[in-house]
Amino acid sequence: MLHIKGLEAKIEDKEILRGLSLDVKPGEVHAIMGPNGSGKSTLASVLAGREDYEVTAGEVQFNGKDLLDMAPEIRSREGLFLAFQYPVEIPGVSNMNFLKAAVAEKRKHLGLEPLSAKEFLKLVSEKSKLVELDGQLANRAVNEGFSGGEKKRNEIFQMAMLEPTLGILDETDSGLDIDALRIVANGVNALRSPERSFVLITHYQRLLDYIVPDFVHVLYKGRIVKSGTKELALELEEKGYDWIKEEVDAHA
Amino acid sequence: MEETITNNQIIDIERSVLSMVNVHAKAQLDQMQWPTTRDEEWKYTRTGRITKESWMVSPIQSNAPWQSLQIENLDVYTIVIINGQFYSQASTLPTAAGITIDTIAPQERIATSFGHFFEALQAAYCTSHLRIVIADKVQMDRPIHLIHFNDGQKVLSQPTLTIEVGAFAKASFIESFGSNSTEQSFGNRKLNIHVGENAHVTFDKIQDLHDNDFLMNDDQVHIAKSAQFTINTLTIDGGWTRNQLHISLDGENIEASLNGCYLPRRNQLVDNHTKVDHRFAHCNSHELYKGLLNDRSTGVFNGKVHVHLDAQKTNAYQQNANILLSDEAQMNSKPELEIYADDVKCSHGSTTGQLDDEAMFYLQSRGLSPDNARRLLTTAFINDVLNHVENEAVRAHVIQRLEQEGLLYH
Ligand SMILES: Nc1ncnc2c1ncn2[C@@H]1O[C@H](COP(=O)(O)OP(=O)(O)OP(=O)(O)O)[C@@H](O)[C@H]1O
Ligand SMILES: [Mg+2]
């Protein structure tokens, strides 16, 4: 599904990803943890196609295709979804209009018939229930005046609408209260399927109690420096990152 | 029946030929020059392209396709003005008591002294002077649609419109400007509006010409106490467009709203010069102008707000925001506030920037093509202005035209 090999990326001459490799198979859930500034959001941005980053080495295959060769909108239509760490507010653009356009473009790309207005509304009501998103929010301008938690829920709502094959969630859990965390986690779990994979970027083991990962990785200085199963997250929760940093820095 | 007017040497059009030359205005015009970019008021707006053509006053073309400017699903009275001349046969005038529409003969027109060249030019060769008087307390049942259409070679059309709305009356106007796409025209239209006490007036201008056309609008508005007035200047298309709007608040408790949007592209120029005079206390003015500039186009906004000494408790808001869609597009924005009263609330802002990259990426990351993402964002931007157009059919018409031009996405 997702195959990243030796990925290097920089921004304004600052190297951030330095030879990152990761394999995600269909249906798997991978958690990526790591200290602040280690490059987690950068990885997510590079995968989603943000142009500010320059990829200097490595390759990324997504469902057998060269991901780095695709424009951001093509990546999305091909089934990649990034739930942003900081979703932007877009005043005046209604969530509904925007999603209607997004769903239409994706279906067209996949050679599917466009949804009728009625089918679209049905999809909206079904998917907004999934994340218990107030119908009012769906009708408002994209993220405008949404609380931090509402923005995150809106991201998961959009993900549910677009039904990606790979969901990358960048700290979707941060800023959520306990109830919202459970709602978001339930939403993600409901979307889990043998064909759909997730990459969860998080700082907190707590999320992983709700969405149980198959693998946990530690990203440090632009590389995956340690991988394990969900027990690794518990160990990190207990011991912090120092022991890993020391291990890595000793070999550097 | 055609006479030529050229740069600085305006050939005298004999009264016997057109019976329209105002000699007093003409005498003043002879002493004046076309404005140049050395004039502060014309710093960014060149008139050279107008002065180098020879313009002609042309008769009414009875087959001019003015109907293309009609607005769907809207019942209106229609006043058709072809090549600057009132075309009564095509017009549908209100018949109810209290509404008078007539033309003022050249000899009855009073020539005052003129502030600028275009005004003198307009008065000297006024092609038609139409007067609309709405008596006190009349509530108009439908808007009056003023349709200007230029059709002919190098047409010069210079109508004057005088609108007087009586006390406690209610009226709305739509004014559309159009032309034949294959020919050039120069419109220089003068508008005088008097809004009576407690009257309620809205005025939507839709400027929808072509790259070959030049349009000058000089709008003078006087508002009496406790009245409400809204004017929206919606510039959809046209090569060279200049709007000079002066609103004088001549009493207390007035609500005035002036809004505009412009979306120049190619080599187009749109210039909005506005002035709001707060002369009395307790008035509110709200001004919002937004521009979306593409290709090598130029935009000019100059917004003066003058709060006179006695205009205490004034509330004046002014905002001009612009998005440049191309590196070669240019915007010159200059808000000017002059405040002489001390107990007032005035705010103004002017911004010119690019489309928000973060928002663009966000939309693209959801699968929207860059074109659609851009149009969603620009539509949201322009909607702020269009939302001030109360009449839904007018708003729908403008949106539909902007979509047709590939400028917006709804
Ligand atoms: N636009 C930019 N310009 C310069 N440096 C940047 C830019 N974006 C990111 N960086 C730098 O790249 C490094 C990695 O940032 P990134 O956001 O990927 O970290 P992260 O692992 O997501 O951190 P956090 O856990 O705090 O979210 C940081 O040192 C950051 O300052
Ligand atoms: Mg981050």
Side-chain angles (χ1 to χ4, degrees):
Chain A
M1 139 106 23
L2 181 72
H3 176 74
I4 307 174
K5 203 170 134 197
L7 186 63
E8 293 179 23
K10 63 177 187 184
I11 185 162
E12 291 160 7
D13 290 330
K14 188 176 168 192
E15 283 179 47
I16 301 174
L17 301 182
R18 308 160 192 236
L20 186 145
S21 299
L22 179 69
D23 263 302
V24 179
K25 298 203 166 56
E28 289 178 353
V29 174
H30 290 242
I32 297 182
M33 306 182 81
N36 293 131
S38 57
K40 303 180 300 294
S41 293
T42 301
L43 172 64
S45 294
V46 168
L47 293 177
R50 195 189 281 272
E51 273 176 10
D52 308 344
Y53 299 91
E54 190 191 338
V55 175
T56 50
E59 59 167 49
V60 181
Q61 300 260 326
F62 180 50
N63 293 328
K65 294 180 187 164
D66 181 357
L67 184 76
L68 300 178
D69 204 33
M70 299 176 199
E73 64 275 16
I74 306 295
R75 299 179 193 203
S76 164
R77 296 174 203 162
E78 286 280 323
L80 184 138
F81 184 93
L82 169 59
F84 287 85
Q85 182 173 2
Y86 305 109
V88 292
E89 300 197 8
I90 314 184
V93 173
S94 93
N95 247 336
M96 278 307 99
N97 274 357
F98 142 62
L99 273 176
K100 211 179 282 168
V103 169
E105 293 202 39
K106 172 160 185 167
R107 292 185 69 88
K108 191 170 160 205
H109 181 81
L110 298 178
L112 299 169
E113 288 292 306
L115 291 183
S116 69
K118 206 172 143 194
E119 287 167 325
F120 177 77
L121 286 177
K122 189 166 159 261
L123 193 67
V124 168
S125 87
E126 199 179 291
K127 302 296 186 182
S128 53
K129 273 196 207 100
L130 196 66
V131 287
E132 300 178 28
L133 190 78
D134 185 345
Q136 293 303 316
L137 285 184
N139 284 312
R140 272 172 39 191
V142 182
N143 296 325
E144 193 187 18
F146 284 27
S147 74
E150 287 167 349
K151 283 181 186 164
K152 298 299 179 72
R153 263 199 264 178
N154 193 26
E155 293 291 286
I156 302 305
F157 165 61
Q158 292 175 24
M159 179 167 82
M161 288 292 294
L162 291 169
E163 300 178 327
T165 50
L166 174 66
I168 303 169
L169 278 58
D170 191 358
E171 294 197 30
T172 302
D173 54 333
S174 55
L176 292 182
D177 66 34
I178 307 288
D179 293 335
L181 179 68
R182 206 186 49 242
I183 291 165
V184 162
N186 287 343
V188 173
N189 283 330
L191 292 171
R192 283 183 78 164
S193 80
E195 299 80 38
R196 188 171 287 138
S197 313
F198 291 93
V199 172
L200 309 175
I201 296 171
T202 181
H203 285 296
Y204 306 106
Q205 128 74 20
R206 200 183 54 188
L207 175 72
L208 307 180
D209 285 340
Y210 291 103
I211 311 173
V212 182
D214 300 299
F215 300 96
V216 174
H217 310 276
V218 177
L219 206 165
Y220 178 56
K221 290 189 171 169
R223 269 189 217 113
I224 303 272
V225 295
K226 199 165 199 70
S227 296
T229 53
K230 62 180 193 291
E231 284 71 30
L232 176 59
L234 289 166
E235 195 177 354
L236 291 170
E237 180 92 351
E238 195 183 313
K239 304 205 294 198
Y241 290 113
D242 282 353
W243 61 285
I244 293 182
K245 288 183 186 172
E246 277 161 25
E247 249 180 60
V248 174
D249 294 342
H251 287 91
Chain B
M1 266 279 281
E2 291 183 351
E3 284 293 331
T4 313
I5 294 177
T6 58
N7 178 27
N8 286 343
Q9 316 158 329
I10 291 156
I11 296 170
D12 208 346
I13 301 171
E14 294 295 326
R15 275 169 179 276
S16 58
V17 178
L18 265 171
S19 72
M20 56 164 250
V21 180
N22 182 309
V23 287
H24 303 288
K26 172 77 171 68
Q28 284 192 55
L29 180 67
D30 289 343
Q31 305 302 313
M32 298 169 100
Q33 302 284 323
W34 287 93
T36 70
T37 51
R38 286 186 298 278
D39 296 298
E40 190 58 32
E41 293 293 295
W42 291 87
K43 206 167 165 187
Y44 305 102
T45 302
R46 296 178 180 278
T47 55
R49 278 159 61 213
I50 310 177
T51 65
K52 76 172 205 274
E53 298 295 342
S54 302
W55 302 103
M56 288 172 281
V57 174
S58 305
I60 291 171
Q61 304 291 321
S62 57
N63 59 351
W66 59 269
Q67 291 88 345
S68 61
L69 299 176
Q70 282 178 313
I71 289 163
E72 253 182 64
N73 306 319
L74 186 64
D75 281 337
V76 290
Y77 300 112
T78 311
I79 292 177
V80 181
I81 298 164
I82 305 289
N83 295 342
Q85 292 149 74
F86 175 47
Y87 186 22
S88 64
Q89 289 96 310
S91 301
T92 328
L93 306 181
T95 50
I99 307 168
T100 324
I101 297 178
D102 60 0
T103 51
I104 301 178
Q107 55 276 16
E108 288 172 46
R109 295 175 199 154
I110 307 155
T112 49
S113 64
F114 303 104
H116 57 86
F117 183 86
F118 282 87
E119 199 181 4
L121 176 65
Q122 200 278 336
Y125 302 101
C126 174
T127 44
S128 197
H129 188 159
L130 201 77
R131 181 170 53 191
I132 302 171
V133 179
I134 294 165
D136 292 356
K137 298 187 188 145
V138 169
Q139 311 288 300
M140 297 267 314
D141 60 338
R142 60 182 85 162
I144 292 179
H145 191 180
L146 299 144
I147 297 183
H148 299 269
F149 198 94
N150 293 335
D151 191 4
Q153 272 303 324
K154 309 251 153 111
V155 173
L156 172 71
S157 88
Q158 301 204 105
T160 303
L161 305 171
T162 297
I163 297 175
E164 288 165 26
V165 180
F168 295 93
K170 190 169 180 204
S172 60
F173 301 86
I174 303 154
E175 187 183 30
S176 299
F177 296 86
S179 66
N180 190 318
S181 63
T182 56
E183 289 151 342
Q184 272 197 308
S185 77
F186 170 28
N188 183 15
R189 172 322 251 105
K190 176 80 194 255
L191 169 69
N192 305 301
I193 304 181
H194 290 265
V195 180
E197 281 180 33
N198 289 87
H200 188 302
V201 174
T202 66
F203 201 102
D204 295 320
K205 297 205 297 179
I206 306 171
Q207 301 172 323
D208 196 359
L209 294 119
H210 298 96
D211 282 4
N212 289 333
D213 297 313
F214 300 85
L215 177 64
M216 168 80 187
N217 276 185
D218 185 345
D219 307 339
Q220 300 288 330
V221 185
H222 284 273
I223 311 178
K225 74 172 190 202
S226 305
Q228 283 180 48
F229 177 73
T230 299
I231 183 163
N232 299 310
T233 302
L234 313 166
T235 309
I236 296 174
D237 208 348
W240 185 102
T241 309
R242 163 126 167 168
N243 293 296
Q244 289 184 190
L245 169 61
H246 179 204
I247 298 183
S248 183
L249 310 182
D250 300 341
E252 297 194 347
N253 299 312
I254 293 166
E255 296 277 341
S257 171
L258 51 155
N259 311 288
C261 66
Y262 39 96
L263 303 90
R265 47 219 183 264
R266 299 182 288 277
N267 280 312
Q268 297 180 349
L269 171 134
V270 181
D271 176 345
N272 280 292
H273 266 65
T274 66
K275 183 172 186 206
V276 180
D277 265 307
H278 278 267
R279 299 179 189 280
F280 289 83
H282 301 287
C283 292
N284 296 335
S285 69
H286 173 282
E287 175 169 12
L288 177 68
Y289 276 73
K290 284 190 152 192
L292 197 61
L293 296 92
N294 209 341
D295 305 328
R296 296 162 307 283
S297 65
T298 306
V300 180
F301 175 81
N302 184 294
K304 291 195 176 82
V305 176
H306 187 141
V307 181
H308 296 248
L309 193 60
D310 294 332
Q312 299 295 359
K313 307 281 181 196
T314 285
N315 210 328
Y317 169 90
Q318 184 194 75
Q319 177 74 34
N320 175 232
N322 304 286
I323 292 179
L324 303 177
L325 294 173
S326 134
D327 290 342
E328 292 168 287
Q330 216 196 88
M331 182 67 210
N332 306 287
S333 174
K334 187 175 171 199
E336 288 181 57
L337 262 63
E338 273 185 72
I339 302 170
Y340 298 100
D342 48 25
D343 186 11
V344 300
K345 259 200 241 151
C346 294
S347 68
H348 71 104
S350 163
T351 58
T352 297
Q354 270 89 41
L355 269 186
D356 180 358
D357 280 347
E358 293 285 319
M360 275 296 288
F361 180 66
Y362 189 86
L363 296 175
Q364 278 172 262
S365 78
R366 299 308 184 234
L368 268 72
S369 67
D371 262 1
N372 279 343
R374 198 176 296 119
R375 277 188 287 165
L376 267 181
L377 295 177
T378 53
T379 302
F381 179 76
I382 293 297
N383 268 344
D384 266 357
V385 172
L386 298 182
N387 288 339
H388 286 278
V389 178
E390 269 174 47
N391 188 314
E392 276 179 35
V394 173
R395 195 167 62 233
H397 172 86
V398 172
I399 288 170
Q400 188 238 329
R401 279 290 299 123
L402 293 172
E403 278 175 15
Q404 236 171 39
E405 292 293 315
L407 297 166
L408 294 191
Y409 180 93
H410 272 260

